mmCIF file of all heavy atoms in Angstrom:
data_model
loop_
_atom_site.group_PDB
_atom_site.id
_atom_site.type_symbol
_atom_site.label_atom_id
_atom_site.label_comp_id
_atom_site.label_asym_id
_atom_site.label_seq_id
_atom_site.Cartn_x
_atom_site.Cartn_y
_atom_site.Cartn_z
ATOM 1 N N GLN A 1 -134.775 -26.641 75.128
ATOM 2 C CA GLN A 1 -133.683 -25.933 75.790
ATOM 3 C C GLN A 1 -133.953 -24.444 75.937
ATOM 4 O O GLN A 1 -133.346 -23.784 76.785
ATOM 5 C CB GLN A 1 -132.381 -26.147 75.029
ATOM 6 C CG GLN A 1 -131.861 -27.584 75.097
ATOM 7 C CD GLN A 1 -130.542 -27.749 74.378
ATOM 8 O OE1 GLN A 1 -130.151 -26.895 73.589
ATOM 9 N NE2 GLN A 1 -129.855 -28.845 74.652
ATOM 10 N N ARG A 2 -134.867 -23.912 75.148
ATOM 11 C CA ARG A 2 -135.063 -22.465 75.129
ATOM 12 C C ARG A 2 -136.367 -22.000 75.780
ATOM 13 O O ARG A 2 -136.508 -20.810 76.076
ATOM 14 C CB ARG A 2 -135.027 -21.951 73.681
ATOM 15 C CG ARG A 2 -133.680 -22.182 72.993
ATOM 16 C CD ARG A 2 -133.661 -21.506 71.632
ATOM 17 N NE ARG A 2 -133.913 -20.076 71.729
ATOM 18 C CZ ARG A 2 -132.983 -19.181 72.048
ATOM 19 N NH1 ARG A 2 -131.738 -19.569 72.296
ATOM 20 N NH2 ARG A 2 -133.291 -17.901 72.113
ATOM 21 N N THR A 3 -137.297 -22.899 76.000
ATOM 22 C CA THR A 3 -138.579 -22.420 76.509
ATOM 23 C C THR A 3 -139.349 -23.491 77.262
ATOM 24 O O THR A 3 -139.122 -24.693 77.076
ATOM 25 C CB THR A 3 -139.453 -21.886 75.349
ATOM 26 O OG1 THR A 3 -140.614 -21.243 75.883
ATOM 27 C CG2 THR A 3 -139.911 -23.028 74.454
ATOM 28 N N VAL A 4 -140.237 -23.016 78.110
ATOM 29 C CA VAL A 4 -141.252 -23.847 78.759
ATOM 30 C C VAL A 4 -142.586 -23.369 78.200
ATOM 31 O O VAL A 4 -142.868 -22.172 78.214
ATOM 32 C CB VAL A 4 -141.246 -23.674 80.294
ATOM 33 C CG1 VAL A 4 -142.262 -24.613 80.944
ATOM 34 C CG2 VAL A 4 -139.863 -23.894 80.857
ATOM 35 N N ALA A 5 -143.384 -24.288 77.718
ATOM 36 C CA ALA A 5 -144.632 -23.895 77.068
ATOM 37 C C ALA A 5 -145.725 -24.907 77.387
ATOM 38 O O ALA A 5 -145.517 -25.889 78.101
ATOM 39 C CB ALA A 5 -144.435 -23.771 75.552
ATOM 40 N N ALA A 6 -146.916 -24.633 76.838
ATOM 41 C CA ALA A 6 -148.072 -25.497 77.029
ATOM 42 C C ALA A 6 -148.616 -25.918 75.678
ATOM 43 O O ALA A 6 -148.307 -25.317 74.638
ATOM 44 C CB ALA A 6 -149.153 -24.769 77.835
ATOM 45 N N ALA A 7 -149.443 -26.945 75.685
ATOM 46 C CA ALA A 7 -150.030 -27.435 74.436
ATOM 47 C C ALA A 7 -150.992 -26.406 73.839
ATOM 48 O O ALA A 7 -151.150 -26.315 72.620
ATOM 49 C CB ALA A 7 -150.745 -28.765 74.672
ATOM 50 N N ARG A 8 -151.665 -25.622 74.707
ATOM 51 C CA ARG A 8 -152.579 -24.582 74.235
ATOM 52 C C ARG A 8 -151.885 -23.222 74.285
ATOM 53 O O ARG A 8 -151.201 -22.891 75.255
ATOM 54 C CB ARG A 8 -153.831 -24.525 75.117
ATOM 55 C CG ARG A 8 -154.737 -25.745 75.016
ATOM 56 C CD ARG A 8 -156.021 -25.481 75.803
ATOM 57 N NE ARG A 8 -156.902 -26.624 75.814
ATOM 58 C CZ ARG A 8 -158.104 -26.627 76.403
ATOM 59 N NH1 ARG A 8 -158.537 -25.535 77.024
ATOM 60 N NH2 ARG A 8 -158.858 -27.707 76.370
ATOM 61 N N ASN A 9 -152.086 -22.409 73.251
ATOM 62 C CA ASN A 9 -151.459 -21.090 73.211
ATOM 63 C C ASN A 9 -151.893 -20.220 74.384
ATOM 64 O O ASN A 9 -151.082 -19.492 74.971
ATOM 65 C CB ASN A 9 -151.789 -20.387 71.894
ATOM 66 C CG ASN A 9 -151.062 -21.005 70.711
ATOM 67 O OD1 ASN A 9 -150.004 -21.612 70.887
ATOM 68 N ND2 ASN A 9 -151.618 -20.859 69.524
ATOM 69 N N SER A 10 -153.181 -20.283 74.730
ATOM 70 C CA SER A 10 -153.671 -19.454 75.835
ATOM 71 C C SER A 10 -153.017 -19.858 77.153
ATOM 72 O O SER A 10 -152.692 -18.997 77.989
ATOM 73 C CB SER A 10 -155.194 -19.561 75.948
ATOM 74 O OG SER A 10 -155.592 -20.910 76.161
ATOM 75 N N ASP A 11 -152.791 -21.168 77.346
ATOM 76 C CA ASP A 11 -152.111 -21.627 78.557
ATOM 77 C C ASP A 11 -150.658 -21.154 78.577
ATOM 78 O O ASP A 11 -150.126 -20.775 79.616
ATOM 79 C CB ASP A 11 -152.156 -23.151 78.651
ATOM 80 C CG ASP A 11 -153.550 -23.694 78.934
ATOM 81 O OD1 ASP A 11 -154.435 -22.879 79.272
ATOM 82 O OD2 ASP A 11 -153.753 -24.917 78.808
ATOM 83 N N THR A 12 -149.998 -21.186 77.418
ATOM 84 C CA THR A 12 -148.618 -20.712 77.319
ATOM 85 C C THR A 12 -148.521 -19.235 77.691
ATOM 86 O O THR A 12 -147.610 -18.812 78.411
ATOM 87 C CB THR A 12 -148.064 -20.931 75.903
ATOM 88 O OG1 THR A 12 -148.050 -22.323 75.604
ATOM 89 C CG2 THR A 12 -146.652 -20.382 75.773
ATOM 90 N N GLN A 13 -149.469 -18.430 77.208
ATOM 91 C CA GLN A 13 -149.461 -17.003 77.523
ATOM 92 C C GLN A 13 -149.615 -16.776 79.023
ATOM 93 O O GLN A 13 -148.895 -15.950 79.623
ATOM 94 C CB GLN A 13 -150.574 -16.300 76.758
ATOM 95 C CG GLN A 13 -150.354 -16.276 75.241
ATOM 96 C CD GLN A 13 -151.560 -15.769 74.479
ATOM 97 O OE1 GLN A 13 -152.532 -15.293 75.073
ATOM 98 N NE2 GLN A 13 -151.521 -15.862 73.158
ATOM 99 N N ASP A 14 -150.541 -17.501 79.650
ATOM 100 C CA ASP A 14 -150.718 -17.370 81.105
ATOM 101 C C ASP A 14 -149.448 -17.781 81.850
ATOM 102 O O ASP A 14 -149.030 -17.121 82.804
ATOM 103 C CB ASP A 14 -151.883 -18.252 81.576
ATOM 104 C CG ASP A 14 -153.234 -17.749 81.103
ATOM 105 O OD1 ASP A 14 -153.324 -16.569 80.717
ATOM 106 O OD2 ASP A 14 -154.192 -18.548 81.108
ATOM 107 N N LEU A 15 -148.831 -18.879 81.402
ATOM 108 C CA LEU A 15 -147.620 -19.373 82.049
ATOM 109 C C LEU A 15 -146.480 -18.371 81.932
ATOM 110 O O LEU A 15 -145.791 -18.070 82.909
ATOM 111 C CB LEU A 15 -147.225 -20.717 81.426
ATOM 112 C CG LEU A 15 -145.958 -21.388 81.965
ATOM 113 C CD1 LEU A 15 -146.119 -21.734 83.440
ATOM 114 C CD2 LEU A 15 -145.638 -22.647 81.155
ATOM 115 N N HIS A 16 -146.273 -17.827 80.731
ATOM 116 C CA HIS A 16 -145.173 -16.888 80.524
ATOM 117 C C HIS A 16 -145.394 -15.584 81.293
ATOM 118 O O HIS A 16 -144.422 -14.965 81.770
ATOM 119 C CB HIS A 16 -144.995 -16.611 79.031
ATOM 120 C CG HIS A 16 -144.360 -17.757 78.300
ATOM 121 N ND1 HIS A 16 -144.133 -17.761 76.941
ATOM 122 C CD2 HIS A 16 -143.903 -18.964 78.752
ATOM 123 C CE1 HIS A 16 -143.559 -18.902 76.582
ATOM 124 N NE2 HIS A 16 -143.417 -19.642 77.661
ATOM 125 N N ARG A 17 -146.648 -15.155 81.415
ATOM 126 C CA ARG A 17 -146.918 -13.947 82.215
ATOM 127 C C ARG A 17 -146.533 -14.182 83.677
ATOM 128 O O ARG A 17 -145.939 -13.314 84.326
ATOM 129 C CB ARG A 17 -148.395 -13.563 82.101
ATOM 130 C CG ARG A 17 -148.730 -12.726 80.882
ATOM 131 C CD ARG A 17 -150.108 -12.090 81.015
ATOM 132 N NE ARG A 17 -151.171 -13.081 80.986
ATOM 133 C CZ ARG A 17 -151.804 -13.463 79.882
ATOM 134 N NH1 ARG A 17 -151.476 -12.920 78.706
ATOM 135 N NH2 ARG A 17 -152.770 -14.359 79.936
ATOM 136 N N ALA A 18 -146.880 -15.360 84.194
ATOM 137 C CA ALA A 18 -146.551 -15.668 85.583
ATOM 138 C C ALA A 18 -145.041 -15.777 85.781
ATOM 139 O O ALA A 18 -144.497 -15.308 86.795
ATOM 140 C CB ALA A 18 -147.235 -16.964 86.002
ATOM 141 N N MET A 19 -144.337 -16.403 84.826
ATOM 142 C CA MET A 19 -142.887 -16.525 84.917
ATOM 143 C C MET A 19 -142.217 -15.149 84.846
ATOM 144 O O MET A 19 -141.284 -14.852 85.599
ATOM 145 C CB MET A 19 -142.371 -17.442 83.803
ATOM 146 C CG MET A 19 -142.831 -18.899 83.940
ATOM 147 S SD MET A 19 -142.520 -19.897 82.445
ATOM 148 C CE MET A 19 -140.720 -19.971 82.459
ATOM 149 N N ALA A 20 -142.700 -14.294 83.932
ATOM 150 C CA ALA A 20 -142.134 -12.948 83.810
ATOM 151 C C ALA A 20 -142.351 -12.143 85.087
ATOM 152 O O ALA A 20 -141.476 -11.382 85.512
ATOM 153 C CB ALA A 20 -142.759 -12.227 82.616
ATOM 154 N N ALA A 21 -143.506 -12.315 85.718
ATOM 155 C CA ALA A 21 -143.780 -11.607 86.979
ATOM 156 C C ALA A 21 -142.809 -12.047 88.061
ATOM 157 O O ALA A 21 -142.379 -11.234 88.900
ATOM 158 C CB ALA A 21 -145.221 -11.858 87.412
ATOM 159 N N ALA A 22 -142.443 -13.332 88.081
ATOM 160 C CA ALA A 22 -141.478 -13.822 89.071
ATOM 161 C C ALA A 22 -140.110 -13.182 88.845
ATOM 162 O O ALA A 22 -139.414 -12.811 89.804
ATOM 163 C CB ALA A 22 -141.377 -15.351 88.982
ATOM 164 N N VAL A 23 -139.706 -13.039 87.595
ATOM 165 C CA VAL A 23 -138.421 -12.413 87.276
ATOM 166 C C VAL A 23 -138.427 -10.942 87.700
ATOM 167 O O VAL A 23 -137.464 -10.431 88.287
ATOM 168 C CB VAL A 23 -138.116 -12.543 85.770
ATOM 169 C CG1 VAL A 23 -136.895 -11.697 85.396
ATOM 170 C CG2 VAL A 23 -137.883 -14.005 85.403
ATOM 171 N N ILE A 24 -139.536 -10.252 87.409
ATOM 172 C CA ILE A 24 -139.646 -8.833 87.781
ATOM 173 C C ILE A 24 -139.566 -8.678 89.299
ATOM 174 O O ILE A 24 -138.915 -7.763 89.813
ATOM 175 C CB ILE A 24 -140.961 -8.244 87.240
ATOM 176 C CG1 ILE A 24 -140.898 -8.160 85.702
ATOM 177 C CG2 ILE A 24 -141.226 -6.864 87.835
ATOM 178 C CD1 ILE A 24 -142.205 -7.766 85.062
ATOM 179 N N TRP A 25 -140.209 -9.575 90.035
ATOM 180 C CA TRP A 25 -140.165 -9.513 91.500
ATOM 181 C C TRP A 25 -138.726 -9.631 91.992
ATOM 182 O O TRP A 25 -138.328 -8.911 92.899
ATOM 183 C CB TRP A 25 -141.015 -10.633 92.090
ATOM 184 C CG TRP A 25 -141.126 -10.559 93.589
ATOM 185 C CD1 TRP A 25 -142.096 -9.928 94.309
ATOM 186 C CD2 TRP A 25 -140.231 -11.140 94.548
ATOM 187 N NE1 TRP A 25 -141.859 -10.061 95.656
ATOM 188 C CE2 TRP A 25 -140.725 -10.805 95.839
ATOM 189 C CE3 TRP A 25 -139.073 -11.899 94.459
ATOM 190 C CZ2 TRP A 25 -140.091 -11.216 97.001
ATOM 191 C CZ3 TRP A 25 -138.436 -12.296 95.624
ATOM 192 C CH2 TRP A 25 -138.942 -11.962 96.877
#
């Protein structure tokens, strides 16, 4: 309910950066 993540930490970091960029836009 609180997050979208990936099985690998590095993938999660890439995903969250992309999501944050969409919010900033």
